[in-house]
Each structure stands twice: as C-alpha cells, then as structure tokens.
Amino acid sequence: MNPRDRRHIAPASRTAASRPAPARRVHLALTVLLLALMATTSLPAPAAAQATSEWRKSSERLLSQARRHYLSENYWEAARDLIILLDFNPGFEKSDEVVFSLAECLYQIGLPQGAERLYKNLVTQYLRSPLQPNALLGLERIEYDRKEWNRCIEYHQIIIRSASPQAVTDASNYFSGLAYYQLRDFPNSKQSLVRVSIKSPWYPFAQYNLALAQMRMKQVPDAVMTLRAICDLPVESEQIRTLIDDTRMTLGYLFYELERYQQAHDQFQLVSPTHLHRDEALLAAGWCQVQMGRLSTAIKPLTTLLIHYPGSASNEEGLFLLGRCFMKLQRYDHAIRVYDHLISMFPSKEEMPVISREVQMTLLDEGIEVEKLQTDLLIMESELIDALPLQVTWPEMPDELREQRQQLLDLRQGLLRRIQEERDRVNQLADGMEELRRMTRRKQSRMDWRAYAEFGKSRALFMQSMQ
C-alpha cells in the first residue's frame, strides 16, 4: 500500500449562492434609485444638500448590508447589492471597497474572469486605495487557480516589494509556496511557507504544505515534527478539523512506509467518522493490523468499512483483505461468501468491452452538452463583465435615459442569476462525468480481480473439503 498524495487545503471555500434577497433589500434598492433620480433634478441648495446626505446614508446602508451577506457566505445577495450601489452611485467615496467586495463575491460564486477585471480596475483606477495589495492578492489567487504558477509567483513578488499589510503578505506567501511546490521547487516552497506568521489564519494550512515539502526534500524527522504540531492545534472550526484529519492520514501513511505499523494504526483510528476519507483510513487501519499479524483485530475496521461505506472505492481491496484474514483464520465459510461477493462486483472479460463502449458513448453525449453549457456560460459572463459600471464619477443622465438605465440594472441582475444557475448545472454534469470516468477506470484496471476472487473461492472450497 502506497501513501496517498494529499491535496492542499485552503481556509476558505466556495459556497453556493443563496436565493434572491428579501423585501428589505428591494426597499433599499428603490431608495437608492429614488435618490439617483433626485440627483438629476434641479433642487434648491438646502434640498439638494439633504438629498445628497440621504443618498450617502443609503449607500452606506447598502454597503453594510452587502458586508453582512458576504460574511454569511451569501455571495449572490452581496453581489446584487454591490452592483446596485456601483450602478447608482459610482462616485461613492468608498467605491474602491465596493469594487473590491464585488470582485471577491464574483470569485466566490465562480466567476474568475469578472473578478479579475474588477481587481485590475481597482489596481489601475484607485492608485491611492489601501485595498490595492488585496486586489493584487486576488489576482495571485486567480493565477494559482488557473495553474499559471509562474504568473502567481510574479504577483507574489510585486506584493512583497510593496508595503502590504501582514495579512496580505501571509496569504501571498501561502499561495506562492503552493505554486513553487507545483513547480517542484521545494526549497523555495519551504522558504515561502515558513514566512506565514503564526497568527495568520493561513498558518495551519501553510504548515501542512510545509510538511509535504519537507517530505519531498527527504527531511522526514522535520516533516513528522511539523505534522504532529498540527495535530495538537485546537479544533476551532470544521476546516481545522478537516486539516487535522488529513494530517493524521498523512502521518499514518508515512509511519506505514517506515514500517511503524502501530503508530500508523493509531493515527488512522483517530480520523473523524465524518471525514471525507474515513473509508481509506479504515482500510489502512486493517492493513496495519494485518502487517502486525493481528488478523482477528483486522476484521473490525474492514467490516466497518463495508457496512458504513458500501459505495466506497476502497471496498474491493477491503474485501480481498478480509477474505485473506478469514482464510488464515481457517474460517472458510466466511471467506467463500466474501469471494462470491467480489465475483458479483466485477464483470467478466467478455462483458467489460461492451460496458466500456456504453460508458464512452454516454460520456461523449454528456461532453457535448457540457461544452455547449460552458460556451453559453462564457458568453453570459462576458455580457455581465461588459455591463458592469466602472465609472469613477457620476455621469449626467437625461430624463429619457433613466428607464434604460433601470433596464440595464435588471439585465445585470438577471445575468448574474442565470450565470449562477448555469454554473450549478455545469458543475453537476462535470462531477457526474468525472465519477463515471473514475469508476470505469477502476473497473478496467481491476479486470483481473475477478480471476483472483475465483481463485480465492476455489482455494477456500478445497481447504474446507480437507477439514
């Protein structure tokens, strides 16, 4: 059994956007619209001053509401509020924050192209904004997601050379460390990751990836020490819990390769029942027990795997290992039942080509549908980006254009909603196709396992007849 490569973990993950906003936000939007119309009408000086004051207050309220939605991970609602604010008051004194917050929302929703344009707009148009380093960090993060490792590192170097806040520098060091790791430049990866300060929310995740770099550099004792320190962290969130579980998995595989089976088993046993790879931990725990010669004890984690994770990709290997345990314990009836179950799981060599062709045809049809959806999605994203108002000053607007302006606002909001719906459809189809590919590859790579199971059953029947 070889250790699995663990993927990096980031302290923030995308969350599905929420439903349209309640009536309270519609009231605020109408207030902003009314104030915008008042701004284009001739008013006496005191009335104009009062209208301007109300306009500013409404803008502040809308921005505060958008902040609350963002912190609650309601990114769609936050983006809608920010588009309203950007459209009707582009001369708002906090417009740099509006542009940056909207970019963050679009990134979380899954629209990196729109987020990139807004980040670049902030960098080029708001030269004195304190949010410039944050926008550069956003661009660095987008380049990392695109697997443009060198471009990611270039943005990191710009951030380091500028007077950026510590929080931005920490995040930039984290992403550059990951980029260097992908380029297999492990010394520079280590150098970037160790610079993430201990007070940063990125620190635990930087330490995990630091341990991976140390293992690549064959600094195993240092890697073990780093991983153990992560396991001692207080569990303050689900993300930290997941990180600790992944760390225990990595430590377990590392100890297994070092033939320290008891220590490996202890780490696998400590993985939370809710962890995404709990099934792999149970299988690995069973292997540890087998390697230590504790065949009876190995049965418990293996049966737990089969009962609680019936659809797991680890089940087939778990069944073979369980059958092996029953054979050595001379429990041949149990071994025969296990091998019968394995035989039923694998198609014969005659059936496999037919199944493979059917899967390929299904994937081809679904692939055409996904490509069409992705094309439509790119067109809608481009339309949304072109429709985003990025003027720095409030434009003079004739009365006859007000209705068209409102129609444009409705168009933007409709586009945003349609993009979110299409994005969900594309992701759902893509996930289903990837799962089908994974299952097909697994079946094709394990075509001979049916023969092994048939041999195991024959051997169990023979041994049973000899008793």
Side-chain angles (χ1 to χ4, degrees):
M1 181 183 63
N2 295 324
R4 277 71 164 176
D5 290 333
R6 314 305 303 169
R7 297 181 62 187
H8 84 276
I9 311 166
S13 58
R14 294 194 179 112
T15 305
S18 300
R19 296 288 180 185
R24 182 162 52 90
R25 182 176 308 97
V26 175
H27 172 72
L28 285 172
L30 293 176
T31 301
V32 175
L33 175 59
L34 177 61
L35 292 170
L37 296 178
M38 290 171 63
T40 61
T41 306
S42 298
L43 294 173
Q50 182 179 359
T52 302
S53 177
E54 289 297 324
W55 189 4
R56 185 180 298 109
K57 290 178 182 178
S58 294
S59 298
E60 289 282 0
R61 286 197 295 270
L62 201 57
L63 179 57
S64 296
Q65 186 168 274
R67 289 175 187 147
R68 289 194 297 272
H69 284 312
Y70 186 87
L71 292 175
S72 301
E73 299 183 350
N74 297 324
Y75 302 119
W76 191 94
E77 294 185 355
R80 195 170 83 159
D81 286 348
L82 293 166
I83 289 176
I84 292 172
L85 181 51
L86 190 63
D87 188 80
F88 286 106
N89 193 359
F92 182 42
E93 59 186 6
K94 296 181 180 179
S95 55
D96 60 334
E97 182 181 349
V98 175
V99 171
F100 175 75
S101 299
L102 181 56
E104 292 284 283
C105 289
L106 294 183
Y107 176 81
Q108 295 292 349
I109 289 171
L111 306 176
Q113 187 180 359
E116 181 183 26
R117 177 178 174 181
L118 290 169
Y119 287 134
K120 288 183 176 179
N121 177 265
L122 192 146
V123 170
T124 57
Q125 299 297 324
Y126 299 88
L127 300 179
R128 296 185 178 181
S129 172
L131 292 171
Q132 282 230 343
N134 301 74
L136 289 169
L137 175 62
L139 292 170
E140 178 185 353
R141 182 177 54 186
I142 288 173
E143 296 298 345
Y144 179 82
D145 292 343
R146 291 173 175 168
K147 300 183 180 181
E148 295 288 344
W149 318 124
N150 289 312
R151 287 283 296 160
C152 173
I153 292 169
E154 287 174 9
Y155 278 116
H156 165 69
Q157 292 170 347
I158 295 173
I159 291 171
I160 294 301
R161 287 196 298 266
S162 63
S164 301
Q166 185 64 47
V168 174
T169 302
D170 285 335
S172 181
N173 281 323
Y174 174 73
F175 282 104
S176 69
L178 299 184
Y180 279 123
Y181 186 91
Q182 295 295 337
L183 292 170
R184 304 186 68 80
D185 186 349
F186 304 121
N188 272 323
S189 175
K190 176 182 174 181
Q191 188 176 9
S192 287
L193 293 169
V194 296
R195 288 175 178 167
V196 179
S197 64
I198 194 171
K199 294 182 179 180
S200 170
W202 298 94
Y203 177 77
F205 309 95
Q207 290 292 296
Y208 179 81
N209 288 278
L210 171 62
L212 298 183
Q214 289 169 331
M215 282 191 284
R216 292 287 189 175
M217 297 170 68
K218 303 190 184 303
Q219 299 173 354
V220 177
D222 292 341
V224 171
M225 190 185 317
T226 303
L227 293 169
R228 285 190 181 279
I230 296 173
C231 294
D232 292 335
L233 291 174
V235 181
E236 298 176 344
S237 66
E238 283 302 314
Q239 287 182 319
I240 297 297
R241 184 188 300 279
T242 300
L243 174 65
I244 292 174
D245 284 336
D246 274 348
T247 302
R248 295 195 186 284
M249 292 282 289
T250 302
L251 263 177
Y253 290 129
L254 181 57
F255 286 141
Y256 188 94
E257 292 301 313
L258 295 173
E259 299 184 1
R260 293 157 63 176
Y261 299 119
Q262 184 59 56
Q263 289 176 283
H265 176 267
D266 293 343
Q267 293 297 328
F268 291 129
Q269 286 291 94
L270 290 171
V271 174
S272 304
T274 57
H275 186 56
L276 181 63
H277 300 290
R278 170 67 173 171
D279 55 334
E280 296 178 18
L282 289 168
L283 175 61
W287 270 110
C288 291
Q289 295 286 10
V290 170
Q291 294 289 6
M292 290 185 288
R294 303 171 184 171
L295 301 177
S296 298
T297 312
I299 292 174
K300 181 177 180 180
L302 295 173
T303 52
T304 302
L305 165 66
L306 299 172
I307 293 171
H308 294 286
Y309 303 92
S312 169
S314 301
N315 277 4
E316 295 152 5
E317 186 177 347
L319 283 165
F320 270 109
L321 190 58
L322 187 60
R324 176 180 170 182
C325 291
F326 285 141
M327 286 292 293
K328 289 192 174 183
L329 292 170
Q330 299 183 2
R331 296 165 64 177
Y332 302 120
D333 286 342
H334 290 78
I336 292 168
R337 286 197 291 270
V338 168
Y339 289 127
D340 277 336
H341 187 57
L342 273 167
I343 292 169
S344 68
M345 292 175 67
F346 292 98
S348 65
K349 289 187 176 181
E350 293 76 17
E351 296 172 328
M352 193 62 202
V354 178
I355 296 173
S356 180
R357 282 196 299 271
E358 291 177 354
V359 170
Q360 292 300 326
M361 290 300 297
T362 301
L363 289 173
L364 181 62
D365 294 339
E366 293 293 333
I368 294 172
E369 177 67 16
V370 168
E371 286 181 5
K372 182 179 181 299
L373 286 173
Q374 288 176 334
T375 302
D376 294 342
L377 190 57
L378 286 173
I379 293 172
M380 284 191 290
E381 288 182 13
S382 299
E383 290 175 352
L384 174 64
I385 293 168
D386 292 337
L388 286 177
L390 296 175
Q391 304 97 329
V392 180
T393 58
W394 179 262
E396 291 295 330
M397 185 170 52
D399 293 344
E400 61 269 16
L401 294 181
R402 292 174 188 162
E403 184 177 350
Q404 295 181 19
R405 188 178 182 86
Q406 179 61 40
Q407 291 175 354
L408 183 59
L409 174 61
D410 294 339
L411 170 65
R412 291 173 194 140
Q413 294 178 0
L415 276 173
L416 189 62
R417 184 181 302 183
R418 285 180 58 201
I419 287 171
Q420 180 63 36
E421 292 171 352
E422 290 298 308
R423 175 72 65 185
D424 291 342
R425 285 186 62 196
V426 169
N427 290 341
Q428 185 176 7
L429 281 171
D431 291 344
M433 290 172 60
E434 182 57 32
E435 178 59 30
L436 186 57
R437 287 193 191 96
R438 204 162 35 238
M439 183 181 67
T440 305
R441 286 195 299 266
R442 190 172 74 243
K443 294 294 184 183
Q444 288 176 333
S445 66
R446 297 178 176 181
M447 286 177 59
D448 293 336
W449 284 30
R450 179 187 177 98
Y452 297 149
E454 290 173 344
F455 172 77
K457 179 181 178 181
S458 299
R459 185 165 173 265
L461 286 169
F462 174 75
M463 297 300 294
Q464 187 182 49
S465 66
M466 294 294 290
Q467 283 184 331

